[in-house]
Amino acid sequence: LERAAQKLEKEKQEALQAQEHAQKEQQEALAASERLMQKKTEMDSAQARVTKETAELEAARTQLQKESDELLAACLKEKQAREDLEATKVQWQQEKDLRERKDREDWETEKLKWRQEKDAQEKKDKEDWEAMKRKWEQEKA
C-alpha cells in the first residue's frame, strides 16, 4: 500500500511537473505569438509607409513628367518663334533689297530720261540758235 502510495505520489509529482512544463511552454508560445503579432503589426505599418511613399513618389514622378512636358513645349514654341523671326528677317531683307534695287533702277531710268531730255533740249536749242543765226544773217545780208 505504501509503495502504491509512493508510486501514486511520484506520478502525481511527475504530472505536476509535466503540467508546470506545459504551462511554461504555453507561456513561451503565448509570448512568441505576441512577438509575432507585434512583428506583423510592424510589418503592416512598414508596408503602409512603403505604399504611401510609393504613391508620393509616383505623384512626384507624374508632376516631374508634366513639368518636363511643359518645358519641352515651351522650348519648342520658343524655337518656332526664333525660326519665324529669322524667316521674317530674311523676308524683310529680301524685300528691302528688292526695293533698293527697284529704286536704283528707277533712279537710273529717270537719270537716263532726264539726260536724254537735256540732250534733246540742247540739240533743239542749238538747232534753234543755228536757225536764228541763219535767219539773222539772211536779214543782215
Side-chain angles (χ1 to χ4, degrees):
L1 194 63
E2 200 170 305
R3 262 196 247 162
Q6 284 178 349
K7 189 176 177 185
L8 195 57
E9 185 63 31
K10 184 178 178 187
E11 288 175 2
K12 182 180 169 187
Q13 287 296 324
E14 287 175 359
L16 281 175
Q17 286 177 350
Q19 184 180 7
E20 286 176 6
H21 184 69
Q23 283 178 344
K24 185 178 178 185
E25 285 181 353
Q26 185 180 14
Q27 288 174 346
E28 288 174 0
L30 184 60
S33 176
E34 287 176 3
R35 286 192 303 272
L36 282 174
M37 289 300 288
Q38 185 177 353
K39 286 288 183 193
K40 183 183 180 317
T41 302
E42 290 172 3
M43 286 179 62
D44 288 348
S45 176
Q47 181 62 43
R49 277 194 314 274
V50 165
T51 300
K52 179 184 173 200
E53 290 173 2
T54 299
E56 289 171 353
L57 286 172
E58 183 60 27
R61 188 200 66 75
T62 300
Q63 181 64 27
L64 283 175
Q65 184 63 49
K66 178 184 172 193
E67 291 172 5
S68 174
D69 292 347
E70 289 171 354
L71 184 58
L72 177 60
C75 287
L76 291 174
K77 188 175 179 181
E78 181 182 346
K79 180 182 178 207
Q80 185 62 48
R82 273 188 267 128
E83 289 173 356
D84 291 349
L85 178 62
E86 190 58 35
T88 301
K89 283 165 122 180
V90 167
Q91 182 182 0
W92 180 83
Q93 187 62 46
Q94 289 172 341
E95 290 171 357
K96 180 181 170 217
D97 293 347
L98 187 62
R99 277 192 311 274
E100 287 176 353
R101 188 174 74 228
K102 186 179 180 315
D103 289 348
R104 276 195 308 275
E105 289 172 355
D106 289 350
W107 168 248
E108 289 299 323
T109 301
E110 285 297 316
K111 197 163 83 170
L112 181 61
K113 184 178 172 186
W114 177 79
R115 196 167 269 152
Q116 288 172 343
E117 288 174 358
K118 181 181 167 220
D119 290 348
Q121 186 64 43
E122 285 178 356
K123 183 178 178 186
K124 184 180 179 300
D125 289 349
K126 187 175 181 182
E127 288 173 357
D128 287 351
W129 170 252
E130 291 295 324
M132 279 175 115
K133 190 174 162 184
R134 277 192 303 272
K135 185 178 175 187
W136 181 72
E137 285 178 5
Q138 285 175 356
E139 287 176 1
K140 191 178 175 186

